């Protein structure tokens, strides 16, 4: 009995009228936890009752504390008949179970009823006393922190990133139990809500146990999903990344309020975590990192790694010249072994993170994904969910082997999803194959300082683009070239990833949202036959989605996709594919070739004309897009094409000889890649459609940008104005003449119109960027397509954007031709980079440093950086500021991003994971389906905000609406909707408030900087 | 392909002021879309009509959901469902309670009961304001009336507190409530030239001076019938007004009053002779109005009487406004020099307000 839960019911307000005669309500409250129930007195005849109850105390196991929600029911007392329920509040008390999060939950909660929606509010105070039982961490997993954020949370640093944790629990769905036939819809909905709440708690506890086993203390990138399998049951599953996090709590550990950049620069020598280029002054450095970057691919693609693999690599990569190689060789082997052992102990070297601490991500191989079609069967024994476990294990195994084929030992940006229709279920998993730095993966790596230095000597901003696989033994055909940035390593011509754009990636111009949309009709079938039909369709869908993505990417004049998410949805009579990603132009990759159209009947004159007309249109679009997204790659790229050995004039001989061995291959690849551009043959209507659909994608109106990643490359001066929104559309297809073509067009129009509507609605925010645009498709019925979009619109300052973009390009130019003269300047430039990077900041600093590099006088520069700093971390880490700005009390911001522009997150209060059901039997009266869902979503937002506010927070970050299942029966005037949302409750402080505080801080505060640096390394 | 469902929900509720206005004006979605198209918004934004339709629907739905809260504005401030910045909340409330001049003139002083609601159809036809908008405005009047009718304390403050309106609008509503409560006739043909502003001005003066609240002390007896201090006229005061009759009934007093006024104003008025000729009629009119106010029927006709007995005679003689002012000032002030008259305070309370009202009512 290691915990005491205390609850006080203070008051209610805005209660509904329950007694028609008096127009008043006699309300009382039942407080239930586990099997214990307390009641307040009845507060007679009031819509604003003041119960002011005693403290209700529950003495409970911490296991129950984790699993059970606190259930508060508000009722209307009735002397003669049964008491009527007004509504309920479920409070997840998990945030009270770890010391650093919330200490009390106190505030107004909306009273929610699954039939009537929100009916007034209730003021509740909840506290937990955990007894000091040293052993308790072993029995339950109290104390393990959960974060939805898919990066290291802002006020923590990662000591170790342990890796993948997963768990699933199954149960019977109350909606399908026999008892459901005799109970009211309300009772059934509440049973479901309660069950899911319980299951989530249990799941979280079990995952927590696994984390403790791994000696971690937190789960980052926690993603929990429900599979409503209907008759066969209810599955709640979760994945995440176990970490050991250290809170950057003492003010000393934070970067001081240095307003002068010169000070920041001075700090560099103290910095224990050297920046790559500070050590790259010697000519031998590139070699070292080269050997390193190649070695993992070798060792991993061939399971048997030993020192001779290493040797075999050496000549090829031009090793063996100078002492650096000798020194690096054995060392690197050691490293590799470390990495390998660190990862191979793990069943699945997967990471749900999409943003990484600097230096964590070494190389990126590409997207790996796996899908499998399963027939659902009844879950007979809920305690042993082996079937579902086995299914996922199978898929994960496949992902792992795909990653291996790409020469990668890990998968990052990993996620899993399902699509269920009747008894068929498609399980999908995807991620990005990658080579990681072992530094963060293991205990006891702190000692090797030299080691770190070696690792860090990767080329800045392009290292992750370099292929991890063996170019002679490529897993798929690809055109390789030398990196356009460092010119030392090979890079592919395009790069697809599921992760966010790495912090240091060098991007030219801006990015944009790219979507591939696809529908395929499928015959209605039962069970096995249906599953087979779907399995047969899947590869074609995947292929077409990829082709579409590739075409659209080229049309935009870009060469890489980030945040790629491919969703395949199964319906009764069709399959839908929707891929979203953010296209960018990576400076390290070659310029994309154009798109060429070829007809099959070349003799027909008019046809020829048509083709050339189309070709012209496409070329024009590409040119227009390049202008629109400011893609002006530096001219040197031409030079590269001319000579297959890309080398700046200043390069030493050594380098030249190094690349000789692979000369021919490169040359071939290059020419191949250039000549054939990308040919689209329009020999059938399908292809014609493709071309048309390519051209019908309308770019966003001026002043608007969109992306599905956290941040938009090329924009870094966000203002604090944000607007998170959810938009849902359902269209009914006319059942007549349903062809693939018509279907595609309908689907395409649906998505495009939805985007257009968003642009129109948010026009007052221009200039603005829609970030983290997340589309989900579902097929609730035969002829219905439902698209749900959640995103955040953020306003930015146009003038500053221009300035910094320019500076950024300048910088990338400089880097591309790294002259020796510039070496002097580099450390300076980079120190501003390195500064904020210690506490593992989000992907932004390179842009910041870009602004500080733009030749503005120092004093002014400081201001620029300050203003441009989009998320208030880094430069202004002042902990003495009040945790909650009084001016923003009451307002709770919500965002799918992991940060709040113009503000700094000072505290994580715990995970928000809520599940709601809403049902109506008076659909018309509630304004039809739109009115019903509009109100429900608004209510869900309200309940999320209320919970956050009660925890003492003022924002939800990494907010996601994981499920929005909507069913309607207009004939019966009924509708039902299930919504599942999650996010991290946080406290943020406005940057402007921090600035005030930071000015007051004496400069002596600068000293702790190095402390911060040391801890981080 | 038809759109079954189409919604947009922001964490911060989006409010489009233009659409809000159209909604308040009672336009249907399709009319609103047509009006928006005409405003040239499609050209400005490059949007399509379908986008506009969807956007308008969304806003209308939001407003519809907000309407319930707007009926009790403090609820809008405390509710949790819609996150709206305070400035926007104020705008929503202010605009919702704003009314059309044409409409308010039609219902001012009428009983705000259901029966009148049937007349809304006629008002709508007459004024060209949509029936929906008339309903809203009428319901607003009624709602405010119901809430503050029985309340103690300053009428304006009560309205401001319970409906969170701006000072200006609260004053207007105070006038509407005051008129509705006292059922002042404002619809007669000869009153048509008066604007709502004229009446509101008079109402404010009357509330300040002629009600119980104006006396400045709360009734000592809580059971007394004088709860609504600002809404009802001070009955005692009205009773006392009978005493003023002596000013016209006593011929000597009347003559003395006249000579006092004429002596002072001689040479100062362009219409001196007309004034001199009319003095007794005018004075009789003004004093009789006062004396009649004991009957609620006559209270209702206050404005009719004022226009008939004072405004019209002066207007027909083409008195300039400034002369009216000089006359009224002198007319009230001279009474202090009438030794035989003992009700100076009463006279000031009556005439001070009436003078203000008459000057406001005196225009074309």
């Amino acid at each position: 009995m290691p915990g005491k839960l205390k609850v006080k019911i203070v008051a209610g307000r805005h209660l509904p009228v329950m007694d028609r005669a008096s127009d008043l309500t006699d309300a009382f409250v039942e407080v239930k936890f586990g099997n214990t129930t307390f009641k307040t007195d009845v507060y007679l005849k009031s819509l604003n009752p003041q119960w002011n109850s005693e403290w209700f105390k529950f003495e409970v196991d911490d296991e129950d504390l984790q699993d059970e929600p606190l259930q508060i029911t508000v009722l209307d007392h009735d002397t003669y008949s049964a008491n009527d329920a007004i509504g309920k509040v479920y409070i997840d008390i998990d945030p009270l179970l770890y010391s650093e999060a919330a200490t009390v939950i106190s505030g107004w909660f909306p009273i929610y009823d699954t039939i009537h929606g929100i009916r007034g509010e209730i003021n509740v105070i909840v506290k937990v006393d955990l007894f000091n039982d040293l052993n308790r961490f072993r029995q339950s997993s109290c104390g393990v922190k959960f974060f939805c954020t898919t990066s290291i949370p802002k006020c923590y640093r990662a000591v170790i990133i342990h890796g993948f944790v997963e768990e699933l629990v199954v149960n019977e769905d109350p909606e399908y139990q026999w008892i459901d036939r005799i109970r009211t819809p309300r009772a059934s909905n509440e049973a479901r809500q309660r069950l899911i709440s319980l299951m989530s708690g249990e799941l979280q506890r079990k995952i927590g146990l696994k984390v403790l086993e791994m000696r971690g203390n937190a789960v980052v990138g926690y993603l929990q999903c429900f599979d409503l399998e209907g008759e066969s049951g209810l599955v709640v599953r979760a994945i995440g990344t176990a970490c050991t996090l250290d809170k950057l709590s003492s003010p000393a550990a934070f970067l001081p309020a240095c307003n002068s950049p010169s000070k920041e620069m001075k700090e560099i020598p103290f910095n224990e975590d050297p920046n790559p280029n500070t050590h790259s002054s010697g000519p031998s450095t590139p070699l070292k990192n080269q050997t390193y970057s190649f070695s993992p691919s070798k060792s991993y693609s061939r399971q048997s790694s030993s020192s001779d693999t290493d040797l075999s690599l050496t000549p090829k990569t031009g090793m063996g010249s100078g002492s650096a190689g000798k020194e690096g060789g054995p060392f690197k082997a050691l490293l590799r072994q470390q990495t390998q052992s660190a990862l191979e102990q793990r069943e699945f070297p997967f990471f749900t993170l999409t943003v990484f601490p600097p230096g964590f991500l070494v190389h990126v191989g590409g997207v790996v994904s796996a899908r499998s079609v399963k027939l659902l069967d009844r879950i007979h024994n809920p305690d042993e969910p082996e079937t579902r476990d086995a299914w996922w294990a199978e898929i994960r195994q496949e992902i792992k082997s795909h990653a291996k084929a790409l020469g990668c030992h890990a998968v990052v940006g990993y996620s899993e999803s399902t699509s269920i229709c009747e008894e068929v279920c498609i399980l999908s998993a995807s991620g990005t194959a990658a080579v990681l730095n072992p530094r963060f993966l293991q205990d006891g790596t702190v000692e090797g300082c030299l080691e770190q230095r070696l690792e860090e000597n990767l080329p800045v901003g392009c290292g992750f683009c370099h292929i991890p696989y063996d170019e002679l033994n490529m897993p798929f055909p690809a055109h390789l070239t030398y990196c356009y940035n460092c010119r030392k390593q090979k890079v592919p011509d395009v790069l697809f990833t599921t992760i966010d754009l790495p912090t240091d990636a060098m991007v030219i111009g801006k990015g944009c949202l790219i979507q591939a949309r696809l529908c395929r009709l499928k015959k209605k079938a039962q069970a096995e036959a249906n599953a087979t039909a779907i399995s047969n369709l899947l590869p074609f869908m995947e292929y077409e989605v990829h082709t579409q993505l590739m075409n659209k990417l080229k049309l935009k004049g870009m060469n890489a996709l980030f945040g790629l998410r491919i969703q395949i949805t199964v319906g009764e009579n069709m399959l839908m594919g929707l891929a979203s990603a953010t296209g960018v132009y990576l400076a390290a990759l070659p310029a994309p070739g154009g798109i060429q159209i070829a007809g099959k009947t070349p003799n027909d004159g008019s046809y020829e004309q048509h083709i050339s007309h189309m070709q012209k249109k496409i070329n024009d679009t590409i040119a227009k897009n390049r202008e629109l997204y400011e893609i002006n790659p530096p001219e040197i790229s031409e030079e590269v094409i001319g000579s297959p050995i890309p080398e700046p004039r200043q390069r030493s001989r050594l380098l030249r000889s190094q690349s000789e061995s692979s000369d021919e291959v490169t040359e071939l690849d290059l020419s191949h890649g250039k000549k054939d551009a990308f040919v689209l043959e329009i020999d059938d209507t399908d292809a014609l459609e493709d071309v048309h659909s390519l051209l019908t994608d309308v770019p966003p109106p001026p002043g608007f940008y969109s992306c599905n990643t956290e941040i938009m490359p090329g924009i870094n001066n966000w203002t604090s104005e944000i607007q998170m929104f959810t938009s849902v559309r359902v269209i009914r297809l006319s059942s007549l003449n349903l062809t693939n073509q018509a279907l595609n067009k309908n689907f395409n129009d649906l998505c495009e119109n939805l985007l257009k509507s968003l642009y129109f609605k948010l026009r007052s925010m221009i200039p603005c960027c829609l970030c983290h645009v997340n589309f989900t498709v579902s097929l609730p019925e035969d002829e219905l397509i439902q698209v749900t979009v959640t995103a955040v619109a953020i306003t930015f300052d146009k003038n500053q954007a221009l300035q910094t973009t320019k500076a950024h390009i300048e910088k990338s130019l400089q880097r591309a031709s790294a002259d020796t003269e510039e070496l002097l300047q580099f450390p300076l430039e980079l120190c501003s980079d390195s500064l904020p990077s210690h506490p593992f900041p989000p992907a932004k600093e390179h842009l910041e440093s870009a602004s500080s590099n733009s030749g503005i006088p120092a004093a002014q520069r400081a201001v620029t950086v300050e203003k441009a700093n989009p998320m208030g971390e880094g430069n202004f880490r002042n902990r003495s500021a009040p945790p909650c700005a009084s001016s923003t009390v009451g307002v709770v911001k919500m965002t799918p991003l992991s940060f709040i522009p113009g503000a700094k997150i000072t505290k994580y209060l715990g995970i928000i994971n809520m599940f709601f059901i809403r049902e109506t039997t008076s659909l018309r009266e509630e304004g039809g389906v739109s009115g019903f869902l509009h109100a429900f979503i608004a209510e869900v937002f309200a309940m999320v905000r209320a919970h956050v506010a009660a925890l003492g927070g003022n924002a939800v970050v990494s907010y996601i609406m994981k499920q929005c299942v909507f069913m309607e029966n207009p004939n019966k005037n009924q509708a039902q909707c299930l919504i599942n949302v999650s996010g991290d409750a946080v406290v943020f402080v406005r940057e402007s408030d921090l600035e005030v505080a930071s000015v007051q801080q004496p400069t002596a505060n600068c000293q702790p900087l190095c402390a911060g640096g040391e801890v981080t390394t | 392909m038809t759109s079954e469902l189409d919604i947009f929900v922001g964490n911060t509720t989006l409010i489009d002021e233009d659409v809000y206005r159209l909604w308040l004006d009672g336009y249907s979605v399709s009319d609103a879309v047509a009006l928006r198209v005409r405003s040239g918004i499609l050209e400005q934004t490059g949007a399509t009509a379908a986008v506009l339709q969807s956007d308008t629907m969304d806003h209308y739905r939001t407003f519809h959901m907000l309407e319930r809260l707007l009926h009790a504005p403090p609820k809008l401030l405390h509710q949790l469902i819609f996150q709206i910045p305070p400035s926007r909340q104020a705008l929503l409330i202010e605009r919702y309670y704003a009314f059309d001049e044409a409409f308010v003139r039609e219902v001012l002083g009428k009983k705000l009961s259901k029966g009148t609601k049937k007349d809304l159809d006629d008002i709508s036809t007459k004024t060209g304001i949509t029936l929906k908008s008339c309903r809203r405005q009428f319901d607003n009047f009624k709602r405010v009336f119901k809430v503050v009718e029985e309340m103690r304390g300053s009428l304006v403050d009560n309205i401001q507190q319970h409906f969170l309106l701006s000072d200006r609008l609260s004053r207007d509503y105070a006038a509407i409530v005051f008129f509705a409560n006292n059922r002042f006739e404002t619809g007669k043909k000869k009153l048509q030239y008066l604007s709502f502003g004229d009446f509101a001005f008079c109402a404010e003066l009357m509330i300040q001076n002629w009600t119980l609240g104006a006396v400045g002390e709360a009734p000592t007896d809580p059971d007394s019938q004088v709860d609504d201090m600002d809404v009802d006229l001070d009955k005692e005061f009205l009773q006392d007004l009978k005493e003023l009759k002596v000013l016209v009934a006593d011929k000597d007093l009347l003559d003395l009053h006249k000579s006092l006024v004429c002596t002072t104003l001689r040479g100062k008025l362009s219409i001196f002779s007309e004034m001199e000729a009319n003095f007794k009629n005018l004075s009789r009119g003004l004093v009789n109005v006062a004396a009649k106010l004991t009957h609620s029927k006559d209270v209702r006709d206050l404005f009719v009487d004022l226009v008939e007995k004072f405004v019209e005679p002066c207007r027909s003689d083409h008195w300039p406004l400034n002369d009216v002012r000089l006359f009224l000032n002198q007319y009230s002030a001279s009474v202090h020099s009438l030794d035989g008259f003992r009700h100076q305070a009463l006279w000031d309370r009556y005439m001070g307000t009436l003078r203000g009202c008459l000057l406001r009512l005196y225009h074309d």
Side-chain angles (χ1 to χ4, degrees), chain A residues 594-772:
Chain A
I595 299 175
Q596 242 170 50
I597 293 187
K600 91 179 155 179
T601 45
N603 296 329
D604 189 341
S606 68
Y607 190 70
E608 285 271 276
Q609 210 177 357
H610 177 65
I611 297 258
S612 69
H613 175 70
M614 265 222 292
Q615 180 70 57
K616 189 176 173 298
K617 242 170 119 180
I618 285 184
N619 292 345
D620 288 353
T621 315
I622 295 180
K624 223 187 286 164
N625 280 331
R626 279 172 173 269
E627 203 176 309
L628 181 64
Y629 299 108
E630 297 158 27
I631 301 170
N632 313 301
E635 280 304 311
I636 11 162
S637 55
E638 290 309 311
E639 217 177 281
V640 180
I641 294 149
S643 82
I645 315 159
E647 43 143 23
R649 265 156 254 121
Q650 287 85 359
R651 276 292 162 237
S652 62
R653 291 272 158 211
L654 197 81
L655 275 170
R656 184 182 288 250
S657 68
Q658 155 217 346
S659 48
E660 261 161 19
S661 59
S662 48
D663 263 357
E664 288 154 342
V665 188
T666 323
E667 197 167 16
L668 263 176
D669 279 347
L670 263 176
S671 60
H672 180 72
K674 266 294 150 186
K675 272 175 201 154
D676 297 32
F678 199 76
V679 183
L680 262 184
E681 284 193 29
I682 32 172
D683 44 7
D684 55 25
T685 43
D686 259 13
L688 201 66
E689 274 298 305
D690 288 347
V691 176
H692 272 300
S693 70
L694 269 183
L695 294 168
T696 49
D697 275 12
V698 192
F704 263 111
Y705 294 91
S706 56
C707 62
N708 76 334
T709 47
E710 286 251 306
I711 48 150
M712 177 70 159
I715 302 177
N716 61 323
N717 42 353
W718 307 110
T719 67
S720 57
E721 197 189 345
I722 66 169
Q723 167 71 289
M724 188 282 296
F725 58 85
T726 291
S727 186
V728 184
R729 274 197 189 183
V730 177
I731 55 159
R732 185 175 291 278
L733 303 160
S734 50
S735 51
L736 302 165
N737 61 41
L738 264 187
T739 60
N740 277 336
Q741 261 181 35
L743 211 55
N744 274 334
K745 191 180 176 314
N746 277 330
F747 184 40
N748 217 27
D749 288 352
L750 171 61
C751 295
E752 285 291 319
N753 289 338
L754 188 46
L755 281 170
K756 274 186 216 157
S757 267
L758 297 181
Y759 296 138
F760 180 77
K761 280 202 172 289
L762 299 163
R763 66 194 184 283
S764 66
M765 294 183 77
I766 286 177
C768 120
C769 180
L770 298 186
C771 294
H772 216 286

Side-chain angles (χ1 to χ4, degrees), chain A residues 13 723-732 746 757 760-761 763 892 894 929-930 934 942 945 968, chain B residues 1-2 4-12 14 16 52 54-55 58 61-62 65 78 80-81 83:
Chain A
R13 69 182 181 197
Q723 167 71 289
M724 188 282 296
F725 58 85
T726 291
S727 186
V728 184
R729 274 197 189 183
V730 177
I731 55 159
R732 185 175 291 278
N746 277 330
S757 267
F760 180 77
K761 280 202 172 289
R763 66 194 184 283
V892 175
M894 291 169 76
V929 285
S930 294
H934 191 148
R945 287 192 302 256
E968 55 166 327
Chain B
M1 183 183 84
T2 49
E4 282 272 303
L5 185 157
D6 178 4
I7 56 159
F8 175 99
V9 190
N11 183 38
T12 305
L14 279 186
D16 186 309
L52 207 57
S54 139
D55 180 65
D58 246 332
R61 216 168 22 241
T62 307
M65 285 190 263
H78 292 124
L80 302 175
I81 299 179
Q83 185 159 272

